[in-house]
Amino acid sequence: MAERSFKAQVEDLKLGAGETFTGEGILAITKALLESGVGYVGGYQGAPISHLMDVLADAQDLLADLGVRFEANANEAAAAAMLAASVHYPIRGAVTFKGPVGVNVASDALANLSSSGVTGGALVIVGEDYGEGSSIMQERSHPFAMKAQMWLLDPRPNLPSIVQAVKDGFDLSEASNTPVMLMVRIRSCHVTGQFTARDNQRPKLTVKDALANPRSDFNRVVLPPMSFAHEQDKVKSRWPAAEAFIRERGLNEVFGPSDAPLGIVVQGGMYNGLIRALQRLGLADIYGATEVPIYVLNVTYPLISSEFLDFCQGKDHVLVVEEGQPEFIETQLGSFLYRAESRVKLHGKGLFPMAGEYTGAVMLNAVEGFIRHAAPHMLPAAVRAPNLDRPAIPDLTKTVPIRPPGFCTGCPERPIFAAMKLVEKELGKHQIAADIGCHLFASLPPFEIGGATMGYGLGPAANGAFDGGGEKRPIAIIGDGGFWHNGLSSSFTNMAFNRSDGVAIIVDNYYSAATGGQDIMSSRADNASKATKNPIARALRGIGIGWVRQIDRTYDVAKMRDTIREALTTSAKGPKVIVASSECMLNKQRREKPLAQAAIKEGRRVEAPRFGIDESICTGDRACIRLSGCPSLSLKRLDDPLRDDPIASIDQSCVGCGNCGEVADAAILCPSFYRADVIHNPGRWERTFATLRTHLIRWLQSRRDARRLTWGAE
């Protein structure tokens, strides 16, 4: 189950011509695809476009009614390979995934697609995950577009521009027989707004129609000598066709006066930040009317030399706003000026930092610095004079502690790593390779397990150099999402084929949990449109791995500890794999909480476990926190003047998973944990016994207090 349902919003995708569509960027993209007559869509989830896949999944009935095929692909490479349908057939297709990691995974398919060229429009929607909200390495998708010669759109982050970019992307693809990448940044995906809808269009040729009349063209196969002809076709036909289309359709935009001593060139996705900076400098109003000429690159590749040089006419200074590094756009624009023997001075990196997100403060400082240098007279007097009252922006890294990501309360992955810590104490430290997913948080305190990750599904493969045998066996950790994404083929067949002697732990939480809780092959829920309930252990045995241990309750820390120890010490040869399974607590709570709340509201009996710590027993050594790390475990001070040290405490966020008690038992810690069952709508006899117990406890407490007073008097 995905973390969010869009079934209600899907109804808005049925709006017709002239009606007003209101919603998020991802919904607008879906609506634009339908209005453009898309024939098939696919992709792989990942921030910031995870919800786009969820929208498509919830809209399957509507897609089917329009004759649109939807595929939730196993990985980004499979998604990109789908676009092969547009090579021979005039069918519009779109796929989506996180970038640039998604582009990296899909690179082989995308390169082949770009070489062969397309007949129908092929659109790759890339969720550009760069900057402070990112969850990946800091790279850009731009160089791949340059390398493969795919055109790259970067629209202004508002719904009308995003919707228009989808339609222009298909048209540009068909006009130049080239696949197009549409980059939508984090803020673009979640921006809300309105646009005037058009009618949804059935594809002119559906995939079913294409199957009935198969086509093939040997000239589009990427083999010599055709591959050499493809390169020439790119340079002599496709590129000029793309440039002509971009100019004639006016995909790039120019705002502001035609005559000015300076101008600004900006990536479309950075436009909002730029116009806000100009507003704060008094050079633009709230509607975007600007006194500084702006050339907006809604197409960042290819760049159009003639458009740029026309924009530079009459200007002495031009600023390039290009987020990220290296400065591909700035370098290309500088080349245009050099070849034209222009005397315009180009500014960019230097005023702007080379790397990092261009936040509001960064944008304001750089733009103000540029205008002070190039045309200080344009600044209003209040801005032009030194502003001694402007407060300095504090360095928050010195005043606010870092807040690294961590496991959720009740996460079933935490006990796995508690067990690994116990084994590490017994057998010593081991070489550990990690993977992409929630389990990567184990590399942080309190566990500090796993020191490297090479990509989604590649955790065990990353241990290849250590898998030949040694004093200690290497350990690899991978999630169920990574297993089905790429791990089965790239990691586990690699272990089996090379007769690895290493250990792999597959963290199976029933979903592709880190990307939003989407179902995968081994999910244990029923899914009407997807094949679930395919055990990971069966797949492992199918490729020849015989030593497989299945654990269906990871909260049993003692069993986890013993199984990991067995894998590391057994005399058995070959790969050893532990499948550690328990449902993701977030998804479990999303499913069970509404049911429990409804039952309570209806007056039915509901029992909810809660855990606590006996203050009279806890010694405050905090070993439970070091081995569990649960967010619901914290410290508190007692009123007892004889006990200065704080003790462990469990707050109200506890979900009753029981991990704290299991860890205490397996590690032979203190017996201070207790369980209390909270009963909603108890029965008659339960209420009676609860009343009797309360009276008895109060009587015993009053008796004890009386004795203490007597002892004090003596």
Side-chain angles (χ1 to χ4, degrees), residues 379-393:
L379 293 171
V383 177
R384 191 162 58 246
N387 189 350
L388 301 178
D389 296 329
R390 180 183 293 180
I393 298 175

Side-chain angles (χ1 to χ4, degrees), residues 24-95:
E24 287 186 69
I26 52 174
L27 286 160
I29 292 171
T30 311
K31 175 61 174 166
L33 291 173
L34 299 179
E35 292 179 358
S36 300
V38 70
Y40 61 95
V41 288
Y44 190 85
Q45 59 274 355
I49 51 80
S50 291
H51 287 334
L52 181 52
M53 289 298 294
D54 297 336
V55 170
L56 292 168
D58 286 340
Q60 284 191 74
D61 291 342
L62 173 59
L63 298 177
D65 290 342
L66 291 169
V68 180
R69 165 68 176 167
F70 168 65
E71 180 113 343
N73 301 106
N75 53 41
E76 295 87 350
M82 271 187 81
L83 294 172
S86 295
V87 172
H88 297 298
Y89 302 94
I91 307 175
R92 289 185 165 184
V95 297

